[in-house]
């Protein structure tokens, strides 16, 4: 079953980190991605640009509204994701617990609906 591990972190913390702390963080995520790859469960992954680069679209009274910024103002922002294919929710939760984001933010685990072509 496929799951998305959505990484919510405080994006304002990154620029305040030392270069060594940033390098250590990047290395931790690279090692995590490598572990997912070696286990054969990684289906995709990407970082997202800061929430300040987001644009939100909604329909109101049949008209499109375009808003600068993310949908919600929150302490933590969606910073990236890993898509994995594992046997069940317990396996997905186990991988989420190993994700570096779990140590400085949260990892939301959500199953993906299968879509027919």
């Amino acid at each position: 079953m496929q799951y998305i591990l959505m990484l919510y972190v405080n994006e304002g913390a990154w620029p305040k980190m030392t270069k060594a702390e940033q390098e250590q963080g990047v290395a931790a995520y690279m090692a995590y991605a490598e572990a997912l790859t070696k286990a054969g469960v990684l289906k995709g992954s990407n970082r997202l640009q800061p929430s300040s680069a987001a644009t939100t679209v909604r329909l109101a009274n049949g008209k499109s509204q375009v808003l600068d910024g993310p949908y919600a103002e929150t302490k933590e922002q969606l910073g990236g994701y890993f898509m994995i294919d594992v046997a069940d929710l317990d396996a997905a939760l186990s991988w989420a617990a190993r994700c570096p984001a779990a140590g400085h933010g949260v990892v939301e685990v959500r199953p993906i609906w299968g879509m027919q072509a």
Side-chain angles (χ1 to χ4, degrees), residues 60-82:
N61 299 320
K63 293 187 179 182
S64 173
Q65 292 181 339
V66 178
L67 310 166
D68 289 334
Y71 174 70
E73 294 288 328
T74 61
K75 179 181 152 192
E76 295 166 329
Q77 297 78 36
L78 179 60
Y81 67 89
F82 290 92

mmCIF file of all heavy atoms in Angstrom, residues 60-82:
data_model
loop_
_atom_site.group_PDB
_atom_site.id
_atom_site.type_symbol
_atom_site.label_atom_id
_atom_site.label_comp_id
_atom_site.label_asym_id
_atom_site.label_seq_id
_atom_site.Cartn_x
_atom_site.Cartn_y
_atom_site.Cartn_z
ATOM 1 N N ALA A 60 -15.021 30.673 -4.856
ATOM 2 C CA ALA A 60 -15.986 31.301 -3.964
ATOM 3 C C ALA A 60 -17.085 31.900 -4.827
ATOM 4 O O ALA A 60 -16.804 32.724 -5.706
ATOM 5 C CB ALA A 60 -15.318 32.371 -3.110
ATOM 6 N N ASN A 61 -18.306 31.455 -4.614
ATOM 7 C CA ASN A 61 -19.449 31.924 -5.415
ATOM 8 C C ASN A 61 -19.208 31.736 -6.903
ATOM 9 O O ASN A 61 -19.525 32.609 -7.706
ATOM 10 C CB ASN A 61 -19.765 33.386 -5.097
ATOM 11 C CG ASN A 61 -20.141 33.582 -3.644
ATOM 12 O OD1 ASN A 61 -20.851 32.751 -3.060
ATOM 13 N ND2 ASN A 61 -19.659 34.661 -3.057
ATOM 14 N N GLY A 62 -18.581 30.598 -7.255
ATOM 15 C CA GLY A 62 -18.344 30.276 -8.650
ATOM 16 C C GLY A 62 -17.188 31.022 -9.296
ATOM 17 O O GLY A 62 -16.937 30.862 -10.481
ATOM 18 N N LYS A 63 -16.484 31.848 -8.524
ATOM 19 C CA LYS A 63 -15.360 32.604 -9.074
ATOM 20 C C LYS A 63 -14.060 32.164 -8.408
ATOM 21 O O LYS A 63 -14.010 31.921 -7.212
ATOM 22 C CB LYS A 63 -15.560 34.102 -8.852
ATOM 23 C CG LYS A 63 -16.721 34.663 -9.645
ATOM 24 C CD LYS A 63 -16.790 36.150 -9.537
ATOM 25 C CE LYS A 63 -17.968 36.641 -10.369
ATOM 26 N NZ LYS A 63 -18.066 38.084 -10.341
ATOM 27 N N SER A 64 -13.030 32.097 -9.209
ATOM 28 C CA SER A 64 -11.712 31.700 -8.731
ATOM 29 C C SER A 64 -11.074 32.842 -7.951
ATOM 30 O O SER A 64 -11.079 33.987 -8.393
ATOM 31 C CB SER A 64 -10.844 31.318 -9.932
ATOM 32 O OG SER A 64 -9.538 31.093 -9.543
ATOM 33 N N GLN A 65 -10.528 32.523 -6.780
ATOM 34 C CA GLN A 65 -9.765 33.480 -5.989
ATOM 35 C C GLN A 65 -8.338 32.952 -5.878
ATOM 36 O O GLN A 65 -8.133 31.783 -5.584
ATOM 37 C CB GLN A 65 -10.334 33.616 -4.579
ATOM 38 C CG GLN A 65 -11.692 34.251 -4.496
ATOM 39 C CD GLN A 65 -12.158 34.357 -3.047
ATOM 40 O OE1 GLN A 65 -11.677 33.649 -2.173
ATOM 41 N NE2 GLN A 65 -13.102 35.249 -2.806
ATOM 42 N N VAL A 66 -7.386 33.822 -6.111
ATOM 43 C CA VAL A 66 -5.975 33.460 -6.008
ATOM 44 C C VAL A 66 -5.392 34.251 -4.844
ATOM 45 O O VAL A 66 -5.495 35.478 -4.806
ATOM 46 C CB VAL A 66 -5.216 33.756 -7.315
ATOM 47 C CG1 VAL A 66 -3.745 33.414 -7.172
ATOM 48 C CG2 VAL A 66 -5.848 32.998 -8.478
ATOM 49 N N LEU A 67 -4.801 33.531 -3.895
ATOM 50 C CA LEU A 67 -4.250 34.145 -2.690
ATOM 51 C C LEU A 67 -2.758 33.875 -2.614
ATOM 52 O O LEU A 67 -2.314 32.758 -2.892
ATOM 53 C CB LEU A 67 -4.934 33.569 -1.446
ATOM 54 C CG LEU A 67 -6.468 33.548 -1.470
ATOM 55 C CD1 LEU A 67 -6.991 32.657 -0.367
ATOM 56 C CD2 LEU A 67 -7.008 34.952 -1.343
ATOM 57 N N ASP A 68 -1.988 34.878 -2.226
ATOM 58 C CA ASP A 68 -0.563 34.666 -2.008
ATOM 59 C C ASP A 68 -0.378 33.897 -0.709
ATOM 60 O O ASP A 68 -1.059 34.164 0.282
ATOM 61 C CB ASP A 68 0.188 35.996 -1.911
ATOM 62 C CG ASP A 68 0.282 36.706 -3.258
ATOM 63 O OD1 ASP A 68 0.229 36.004 -4.280
ATOM 64 O OD2 ASP A 68 0.413 37.933 -3.266
ATOM 65 N N GLY A 69 0.531 32.953 -0.723
ATOM 66 C CA GLY A 69 0.869 32.217 0.485
ATOM 67 C C GLY A 69 0.128 30.908 0.629
ATOM 68 O O GLY A 69 -0.727 30.564 -0.180
ATOM 69 N N PRO A 70 0.450 30.188 1.684
ATOM 70 C CA PRO A 70 -0.163 28.883 1.917
ATOM 71 C C PRO A 70 -1.606 29.037 2.406
ATOM 72 O O PRO A 70 -2.041 30.127 2.780
ATOM 73 C CB PRO A 70 0.719 28.276 3.007
ATOM 74 C CG PRO A 70 1.254 29.456 3.741
ATOM 75 C CD PRO A 70 1.421 30.541 2.707
ATOM 76 N N TYR A 71 -2.316 27.935 2.418
ATOM 77 C CA TYR A 71 -3.720 27.924 2.833
ATOM 78 C C TYR A 71 -3.881 28.294 4.295
ATOM 79 O O TYR A 71 -4.783 29.021 4.667
ATOM 80 C CB TYR A 71 -4.332 26.539 2.567
ATOM 81 C CG TYR A 71 -5.732 26.393 3.087
ATOM 82 C CD1 TYR A 71 -6.782 27.065 2.483
ATOM 83 C CD2 TYR A 71 -5.997 25.603 4.194
ATOM 84 C CE1 TYR A 71 -8.076 26.953 2.963
ATOM 85 C CE2 TYR A 71 -7.283 25.481 4.680
ATOM 86 C CZ TYR A 71 -8.311 26.157 4.060
ATOM 87 O OH TYR A 71 -9.580 26.043 4.540
ATOM 88 N N ALA A 72 -3.004 27.802 5.145
ATOM 89 C CA ALA A 72 -3.154 28.007 6.587
ATOM 90 C C ALA A 72 -1.904 28.656 7.177
ATOM 91 O O ALA A 72 -0.787 28.377 6.751
ATOM 92 C CB ALA A 72 -3.405 26.673 7.276
ATOM 93 N N GLU A 73 -2.105 29.496 8.151
ATOM 94 C CA GLU A 73 -0.998 30.063 8.926
ATOM 95 C C GLU A 73 -0.725 29.099 10.077
ATOM 96 O O GLU A 73 -1.594 28.876 10.910
ATOM 97 C CB GLU A 73 -1.386 31.434 9.481
ATOM 98 C CG GLU A 73 -1.604 32.491 8.416
ATOM 99 C CD GLU A 73 -0.306 32.942 7.773
ATOM 100 O OE1 GLU A 73 0.730 32.961 8.453
ATOM 101 O OE2 GLU A 73 -0.344 33.280 6.576
ATOM 102 N N THR A 74 0.446 28.504 10.087
ATOM 103 C CA THR A 74 0.767 27.526 11.118
ATOM 104 C C THR A 74 2.198 27.714 11.593
ATOM 105 O O THR A 74 3.015 28.340 10.913
ATOM 106 C CB THR A 74 0.621 26.081 10.587
ATOM 107 O OG1 THR A 74 1.544 25.903 9.506
ATOM 108 C CG2 THR A 74 -0.785 25.795 10.101
ATOM 109 N N LYS A 75 2.491 27.138 12.738
ATOM 110 C CA LYS A 75 3.850 27.178 13.293
ATOM 111 C C LYS A 75 4.803 26.337 12.437
ATOM 112 O O LYS A 75 5.969 26.667 12.269
ATOM 113 C CB LYS A 75 3.812 26.648 14.728
ATOM 114 C CG LYS A 75 5.148 26.609 15.413
ATOM 115 C CD LYS A 75 5.014 26.055 16.817
ATOM 116 C CE LYS A 75 6.308 25.402 17.222
ATOM 117 N NZ LYS A 75 6.199 24.608 18.415
ATOM 118 N N GLU A 76 4.289 25.244 11.905
ATOM 119 C CA GLU A 76 5.102 24.351 11.077
ATOM 120 C C GLU A 76 4.520 24.321 9.672
ATOM 121 O O GLU A 76 3.315 24.409 9.489
ATOM 122 C CB GLU A 76 5.129 22.949 11.685
ATOM 123 C CG GLU A 76 5.834 22.941 13.037
ATOM 124 C CD GLU A 76 5.594 21.678 13.834
ATOM 125 O OE1 GLU A 76 4.524 21.081 13.701
ATOM 126 O OE2 GLU A 76 6.491 21.314 14.601
ATOM 127 N N GLN A 77 5.398 24.229 8.682
ATOM 128 C CA GLN A 77 4.980 24.257 7.291
ATOM 129 C C GLN A 77 5.330 22.938 6.608
ATOM 130 O O GLN A 77 6.303 22.287 6.973
ATOM 131 C CB GLN A 77 5.676 25.411 6.548
ATOM 132 C CG GLN A 77 5.326 26.788 7.059
ATOM 133 C CD GLN A 77 6.049 27.155 8.348
ATOM 134 O OE1 GLN A 77 7.199 26.800 8.558
ATOM 135 N NE2 GLN A 77 5.363 27.858 9.225
ATOM 136 N N LEU A 78 4.540 22.591 5.596
ATOM 137 C CA LEU A 78 4.834 21.402 4.804
ATOM 138 C C LEU A 78 6.100 21.684 4.012
ATOM 139 O O LEU A 78 6.138 22.600 3.191
ATOM 140 C CB LEU A 78 3.668 21.081 3.869
ATOM 141 C CG LEU A 78 3.838 19.869 2.966
ATOM 142 C CD1 LEU A 78 4.049 18.599 3.785
ATOM 143 C CD2 LEU A 78 2.635 19.716 2.056
ATOM 144 N N GLY A 79 7.162 20.931 4.306
ATOM 145 C CA GLY A 79 8.455 21.191 3.701
ATOM 146 C C GLY A 79 8.875 20.183 2.660
ATOM 147 O O GLY A 79 9.814 20.413 1.910
ATOM 148 N N GLY A 80 8.181 19.065 2.596
ATOM 149 C CA GLY A 80 8.532 18.034 1.631
ATOM 150 C C GLY A 80 7.781 16.752 1.939
ATOM 151 O O GLY A 80 6.939 16.708 2.843
ATOM 152 N N TYR A 81 8.098 15.723 1.180
ATOM 153 C CA TYR A 81 7.394 14.454 1.360
ATOM 154 C C TYR A 81 8.247 13.292 0.869
ATOM 155 O O TYR A 81 9.170 13.464 0.073
ATOM 156 C CB TYR A 81 6.058 14.455 0.605
ATOM 157 C CG TYR A 81 6.253 14.480 -0.897
ATOM 158 C CD1 TYR A 81 6.383 13.301 -1.635
ATOM 159 C CD2 TYR A 81 6.356 15.685 -1.574
ATOM 160 C CE1 TYR A 81 6.604 13.331 -2.993
ATOM 161 C CE2 TYR A 81 6.575 15.720 -2.933
ATOM 162 C CZ TYR A 81 6.693 14.542 -3.635
ATOM 163 O OH TYR A 81 6.929 14.576 -4.988
ATOM 164 N N PHE A 82 7.906 12.132 1.351
ATOM 165 C CA PHE A 82 8.413 10.864 0.829
ATOM 166 C C PHE A 82 7.193 10.018 0.504
ATOM 167 O O PHE A 82 6.281 9.901 1.330
ATOM 168 C CB PHE A 82 9.262 10.118 1.864
ATOM 169 C CG PHE A 82 10.589 10.763 2.142
ATOM 170 C CD1 PHE A 82 10.732 11.684 3.161
ATOM 171 C CD2 PHE A 82 11.697 10.441 1.373
ATOM 172 C CE1 PHE A 82 11.949 12.277 3.424
ATOM 173 C CE2 PHE A 82 12.924 11.036 1.626
ATOM 174 C CZ PHE A 82 13.052 11.956 2.650
#
